[in-house]
Amino acid sequence: MDESKVVVSVSRQFSQQAEQLFDAWLEAETAKRFLFRSDGGEIIKCDIDPQVGGGFVITDRRPGGDAEHVGRYVEIDRPSRLVFVFGMPADSPDEDTVTLEFAPTSTGSEITLTAEMAPGYEDYVEQVRDAWAEMLDKLALLGAASG
């Protein structure tokens, strides 16, 4: 991990198995229900090419305008580790690196998400942590709703 990066980490327990959670990040129909979706927003585009070197474009239509998230996959090790870089090109040329680690537990699994941001984003740590935690919460609710 780069010492100069601003790092945010969030963990959450799930009743679902790691494989099911891992796949949710790479399947467009599921991902658009939790990934980068804001309250009051609507995902109008969710294109995912789930392979190393492949990428994604997810656009959330928000009251203040569209928010486009663009990324590419760096590591895909199903079902234990997923790494991608992403950014919002309209807002900044900077990209974050996100590492998801999936671990089995006695009641399901746990995801630990670590986001590495460029230096200078220290003032956004709490906002970024809250946003990722909210996405993990939405993912957990999807599992509860689907079984």
Side-chain angles (χ1 to χ4, degrees), residues 37-73:
R37 182 186 196 117
S38 64
D39 290 336
E42 174 191 4
I43 300 297
I44 59 168
K45 180 177 189 174
C46 185
D47 294 334
I48 296 177
D49 179 13
Q51 60 183 329
V52 173
F56 61 83
V57 178
I58 301 172
T59 305
D60 186 23
R61 176 149 291 154
R62 299 175 178 174
D66 292 354
E68 183 177 70
H69 301 81
V70 178
R72 70 186 173 286
Y73 298 104

Side-chain angles (χ1 to χ4, degrees), residues 1-7 116-117 119:
M1 200 174 299
D2 186 336
E3 297 287 327
S4 66
K5 298 278 186 178
V6 179
V7 178
E116 296 179 58
M117 301 177 290

Side-chain angles (χ1 to χ4, degrees), residues 87-128:
M88 296 178 66
D91 296 339
S92 169
D94 295 325
E95 292 183 320
D96 295 353
T97 299
V98 176
T99 301
L100 294 155
E101 294 174 307
F102 301 80
T105 66
S106 61
T107 58
S109 56
E110 178 179 52
I111 294 177
T112 300
L113 181 150
T114 305
E116 296 179 58
M117 301 177 290
Y121 285 89
E122 293 82 2
D123 292 345
Y124 296 93
V125 166
E126 190 171 323
Q127 180 181 346
V128 168

